[in-house]
Amino acid sequence: MNVFLLFFSIAMNLLSCAFLRNDYCKREIRNPRDLYVFNACSGAVSAVVLLLISLIMGDFCAPSLYTLVLGIVFGVATALCAVFGMMALETGPLSYTNIISSCSMVIPALSGAVLFNETVSVWQYVGIAFMVVSFSLAVDKKNNEAGTSLKWFLLCMVAFFSNGAIGVMQKIHQNSPHKEELGVFLVIAFTVYVVFSICMALGYRKKGLACTVASPEKRRKLIVYAVISGFGVAACNQINMYLTGVMPAIIFFPVFNGTVMLLTTLIGILVWKEKLSKKQWVGIAAGGAAILLLCDIIK
């Protein structure tokens, strides 16, 4: 059952990020206000879906202070990850952007050793070294077609640490005495995510930025993409929160992120026709090796 849930979560991640968010960013997002309006809409769908799941499962309850505080921090981290990840997708390649995002699993994977006494092998430390090599080869100023500028790389780094923090908080909450509050924890997190996005959108409105994605001719597309993406993100988060409590961090995070990374790389190359330099191909290979080593396939 856990294996089925894991691969269903991977499928939802690919649908909502590799296809929908990437396509929407490259085709429709024109300014920061557009970005926050889309995130507010998709986040609202996620919050409603998570609330319905919690009510159906009968685990919705008044949150403890622990769940409330951690849920708020989780929501802010989720917002930062989504915003900076989508900003990176606007200008950079899906394949390499997702390589860096996927490598963020090293943060929660190692947190299992630091916080929960889970073992980390020598090969997994070698995997971290390969991850660093992959990062160092990411930016190639000579390859203008790839769009891998320093700005893109810095955006990826913020998404990297935000995504890593999300995994750590998932693991912490699901190994705490309050793990039964999973439903309300996610509802709080995505409510914070929506409020944060709305506040940022209003801030950019005061600066005079137009919201092009909500124009009459584009409103239907905004709704369709937000609904499908929001559902996928909600399903992914609900499943991942559960799996972090029943699977070792050093197995769950590498397998989930590694599979997403490899499939997204293929999608970027085959579907979006992305062109990378030889240096960046070496970087992707190093990232793939890092994922495999972190999965501890060598015993």
Side-chain angles (χ1 to χ4, degrees), residues 16-17 21 24-25 29 32-48 50 68-87 89 162-163 166 169 184-202 222 225-227 229-234 237:
S16 59
C17 296
R21 286 179 179 265
Y24 200 78
C25 281
I29 300 297
R33 188 180 172 196
D34 284 345
L35 185 62
Y36 285 109
V37 168
F38 175 78
N39 282 345
C41 293
S42 63
V45 173
S46 295
V48 171
L50 289 165
L68 177 63
V69 172
L70 195 61
I72 291 172
V73 178
F74 186 94
V76 172
T78 301
L80 291 174
C81 182
V83 169
F84 283 91
M86 290 180 74
M87 288 173 69
L89 287 173
S162 300
N163 198 31
I166 288 171
M169 284 184 278
V184 69
F185 173 83
L186 288 174
V187 172
I188 290 170
F190 276 88
T191 300
V192 171
Y193 174 91
V194 172
V195 171
F196 176 88
S197 299
I198 291 174
C199 290
M200 293 299 294
L202 291 174
L222 169 64
Y225 274 65
V227 169
S229 177
F231 175 82
V233 170
N237 273 270

Side-chain angles (χ1 to χ4, degrees), residues 135-271:
F135 285 8
S136 68
L137 297 173
V139 179
D140 189 350
K141 295 181 179 179
K142 295 180 181 179
N143 183 21
N144 294 324
E145 289 183 279
T148 51
S149 63
L150 179 60
K151 177 184 176 181
W152 163 81
F153 182 73
L154 293 176
L155 291 171
C156 287
M157 284 294 97
V158 177
F160 170 85
F161 286 108
S162 300
N163 198 31
I166 288 171
V168 173
M169 284 184 278
Q170 287 175 329
K171 188 71 178 175
I172 289 174
H173 189 271
Q174 287 304 286
N175 282 271
S176 75
H178 307 282
K179 67 178 183 178
E180 300 301 325
E181 299 174 11
L182 183 154
V184 69
F185 173 83
L186 288 174
V187 172
I188 290 170
F190 276 88
T191 300
V192 171
Y193 174 91
V194 172
V195 171
F196 176 88
S197 299
I198 291 174
C199 290
M200 293 299 294
L202 291 174
Y204 280 107
R205 180 185 180 185
K206 290 182 178 179
K207 292 182 179 181
L209 286 182
C211 180
T212 66
V213 295
S215 59
E217 64 273 15
K218 293 186 177 183
R219 199 169 295 156
R220 183 177 179 181
K221 190 171 186 178
L222 169 64
I223 293 171
V224 171
Y225 274 65
V227 169
I228 300 175
S229 177
F231 175 82
V233 170
C236 188
N237 273 270
Q238 180 76 31
I239 293 170
N240 287 1
M241 279 292 291
Y242 165 74
L243 292 178
T244 55
V246 298
M247 295 178 69
I250 205 66
I251 294 177
F252 170 74
F253 290 106
V255 171
F256 176 82
N257 288 283
T259 304
V260 167
M261 179 272 291
L262 292 172
L263 293 177
T264 303
T265 300
L266 288 175
I267 291 170
I269 295 167
L270 299 176
V271 177

